[in-house]
Amino acid sequence: MKMNDCVESQVRYRLNNNNWQEYMMSDNILEYCFNLPSNPSRYELQVRNRVNNNCGSSNLWSEWSEPVAWGAHNKTDVDCMVIGMKYVQCLWNTLDVNYTFYSGFDGESFRECDTYIVKDGLNVGCNQPEANSKLWTKRFETFLTKLQKGNQNYLQEHELKDRVKLDPPSNLTVEYRSDSRLCFKWMQMNDCVESQVRYRLNNNNWQEYMMSDNIPEYCFNLPSNSSRYELQVRNRVNINCGSSNLWSEWSEPVAWGAHNMTYSTQLHDSVNVWTVVMYFVGGAILLLLIVMLLHHERIRIILIPVVPKPSHDLEEWLDNSKGLKEVFKTSYTEHTCSVQEYCPVPLSDSESSDSSIISVSTDQTDCYNNIPNPDLSHPGPSSSSAEFDPPEEQHVSV
């Protein structure tokens, strides 16, 4: 049943538990039919929906509906398969009758079911555990089953070689490598297993890719950080070990990129948050320093000392030193001075006793006559502006 005309549907079906086949339904058709179905076969079908083009199409499908089956299991026929190389699972579907189930490989005695699958109070299946190593070889032998109700017994033979359904791959991880490749890796059981991956970008449609044998990884070259990459893997037994028609279920999806919510991306997001916080704190500290430098001149001079340039800052320096500025307002002119020395005159021995002092004078008349008379009202070194009388010439009497 569809919600309204805005919904389109897709079905998938399979016969006898083989691979699913998909079919896109036409609009407003709420049924899918098989022509001339075979009673000995089992028909199984599921449906999923999405918004169609009439109402603004969506790329996202709903989950598949619960499967509905018809055919062999509506009678006493039993369908068996090997699950994960751990146990043999057999299903049947009989109305209002509770059967006891027995099974065993050819040449072995029957043993009753270890774990029944119960639905609406009736036994509808059985999980019969077997050793892993035993199933790898025993699956090539005939498997016998028996449904019993009172004196009624229903015997059936099964070939399990191509009826093996492995467990989905485990430990799926993603790694961004130094060569700019994004690689998804998983654990593979052994060389008897082949893998298929399906991936999608930004929640668009899935794309499937068949992996080469013994390569448990799939890589994207130069991935975009702005896109979301999502990948799943499934396994089956390959042709080298007796191929199976049944794929495992898809593994849990692993994602990387823009909207990834896995642990690795949450860690990456937390790192990004701390990066933003550090940038914010650093910007706040820088702004505080700028404010301090603008409003506290002493701190500014300590942190950023000013080196004066004589050609530009001399006048400013003089303004800061008012006393020196006043002194430099006076016009000073320095003239050359002629200096003349009088050499001592040697005395005879007779004269040396009468005089013991010899004066040597320097004629400085030219210098002293040219010294300007400063204005004493201005501060300045008084010793440099005092006027002295020239010394008198002294003569030595002979």
Side-chain angles (χ1 to χ4, degrees):
M1 181 176 181
K2 294 177 66 173
M3 296 173 60
N4 50 46
D5 293 337
C6 290
V7 178
E8 62 183 356
S9 300
Q10 185 182 41
V11 302
R12 69 175 184 179
Y13 60 89
R14 63 180 178 178
L15 274 66
N16 301 321
N17 290 322
N18 290 322
N19 293 335
W20 290 100
Q21 305 293 323
E22 294 183 356
Y23 179 79
M24 191 69 187
M25 300 296 296
S26 302
D27 292 339
N28 301 321
I29 297 180
L30 306 181
E31 64 179 15
Y32 184 84
C33 299
F34 296 94
N35 294 322
L36 302 174
S38 171
N39 288 328
S41 298
R42 169 184 168 86
Y43 295 80
E44 191 174 2
L45 185 138
Q46 292 177 291
V47 188
R48 64 179 181 179
N49 294 332
R50 71 176 178 185
V51 179
N52 61 22
N53 292 328
N54 298 330
C55 302
S57 62
S58 172
N59 294 326
L60 303 179
W61 287 98
S62 69
E63 298 298 326
W64 288 106
S65 65
E66 289 295 323
V68 175
W70 180 92
H73 289 189
N74 289 324
K75 301 185 296 183
T76 56
D77 291 335
V78 177
D79 181 51
C80 297
M81 68 181 74
V82 177
I83 303 296
M85 290 297 177
K86 300 174 184 176
Y87 55 89
V88 177
Q89 183 182 81
C90 296
L91 301 173
W92 62 91
N93 187 11
T94 56
L95 300 176
D96 301 328
V97 179
N98 225 0
Y99 286 101
T100 304
F101 180 80
Y102 299 89
S103 65
F105 285 97
D106 191 18
E108 298 178 347
S109 59
F110 281 111
R111 60 191 178 107
E112 189 178 351
C113 177
D114 184 83
T115 304
Y116 280 103
I117 301 173
V118 179
K119 182 178 180 181
D120 298 330
L122 297 176
N123 298 334
V124 297
C126 173
N127 292 331
Q128 195 76 306
E130 298 284 351
N132 186 302
S133 57
K134 181 180 178 180
L135 279 176
W136 276 107
T137 56
K138 285 289 186 180
R139 63 192 176 92
F140 293 97
E141 301 177 5
T142 302
F143 187 69
L144 303 175
T145 62
K146 180 175 66 172
L147 285 176
Q148 185 178 47
K149 175 64 176 176
N151 295 327
Q152 296 178 341
N153 295 314
Y154 298 94
L155 297 174
Q156 193 173 346
E157 296 181 355
H158 308 267
E159 300 299 330
L160 300 180
K161 180 183 74 68
D162 59 354
R163 303 286 297 160
V164 177
K165 186 175 183 179
L166 299 177
D167 290 332
S170 60
N171 296 332
L172 198 62
T173 58
V174 59
E175 176 184 9
Y176 187 83
R177 297 181 178 173
S178 59
D179 57 357
S180 298
R181 291 196 306 162
L182 180 68
C183 294
F184 292 81
K185 302 189 298 182
W186 58 91
M187 294 292 294
Q188 189 155 291
M189 296 173 57
N190 50 47
D191 294 339
C192 289
V193 177
E194 62 183 357
S195 300
Q196 185 181 44
V197 302
R198 70 175 184 179
Y199 61 88
R200 62 181 178 180
L201 274 65
N202 301 324
N203 291 322
N204 291 322
N205 294 333
W206 291 99
Q207 305 293 323
E208 295 184 355
Y209 179 78
M210 191 68 188
M211 300 296 298
S212 301
D213 292 340
N214 303 322
I215 301 181
E217 70 174 19
Y218 184 84
C219 297
F220 297 91
N221 293 321
L222 301 174
S224 171
N225 289 327
S226 61
S227 298
R228 170 183 166 88
Y229 295 80
E230 190 174 2
L231 184 136
Q232 292 178 289
V233 190
R234 63 179 182 178
N235 292 335
R236 72 176 176 184
V237 180
N238 61 26
I239 194 172
N240 298 327
C241 301
S243 61
S244 172
N245 295 326
L246 304 179
W247 284 100
S248 71
E249 298 297 326
W250 289 106
S251 67
E252 289 295 321
V254 172
W256 180 93
H259 304 289
N260 183 18
M261 295 303 294
T262 59
Y263 173 77
S264 59
T265 299
Q266 290 173 358
L267 179 61
H268 179 70
D269 291 342
S270 65
V271 173
N272 287 339
V273 170
W274 278 110
T275 302
V276 173
V277 171
M278 293 302 294
Y279 277 126
F280 178 78
V281 173
I285 293 175
L286 180 60
L287 182 61
L288 180 61
L289 287 176
I290 293 174
V291 172
M292 293 175 64
L293 290 175
L294 292 176
H295 293 278
H296 301 277
E297 183 177 0
R298 180 173 295 181
I299 296 177
R300 179 174 61 83
I301 294 174
I302 293 174
L303 295 178
I304 310 176
V306 178
V307 179
K309 296 182 180 179
S311 60
H312 298 87
D313 300 331
L314 179 58
E315 184 177 350
E316 181 180 354
W317 177 63
L318 289 175
D319 289 338
N320 294 332
S321 303
K322 296 181 179 179
L324 291 176
K325 181 177 180 182
E326 295 297 332
V327 172
F328 274 93
K329 285 183 178 179
T330 306
S331 175
Y332 286 94
T333 303
E334 183 178 356
H335 298 277
T336 57
C337 301
S338 60
V339 179
Q340 194 174 25
E341 292 185 358
Y342 291 93
C343 298
V345 178
L347 300 179
S348 63
D349 294 338
S350 61
E351 295 171 349
S352 61
S353 59
D354 297 332
S355 177
S356 60
I357 301 174
I358 299 175
S359 299
V360 180
S361 65
T362 302
D363 185 5
Q364 296 177 340
T365 305
D366 293 341
C367 290
Y368 286 106
N369 288 336
N370 294 323
I371 295 175
N373 194 9
D375 187 357
L376 296 178
S377 63
H378 297 284
S382 60
S383 61
S384 64
S385 61
E387 183 176 357
F388 297 93
D389 294 331
E392 297 180 356
E393 294 184 2
Q394 296 181 4
H395 301 276
V396 178
S397 299
V398 179

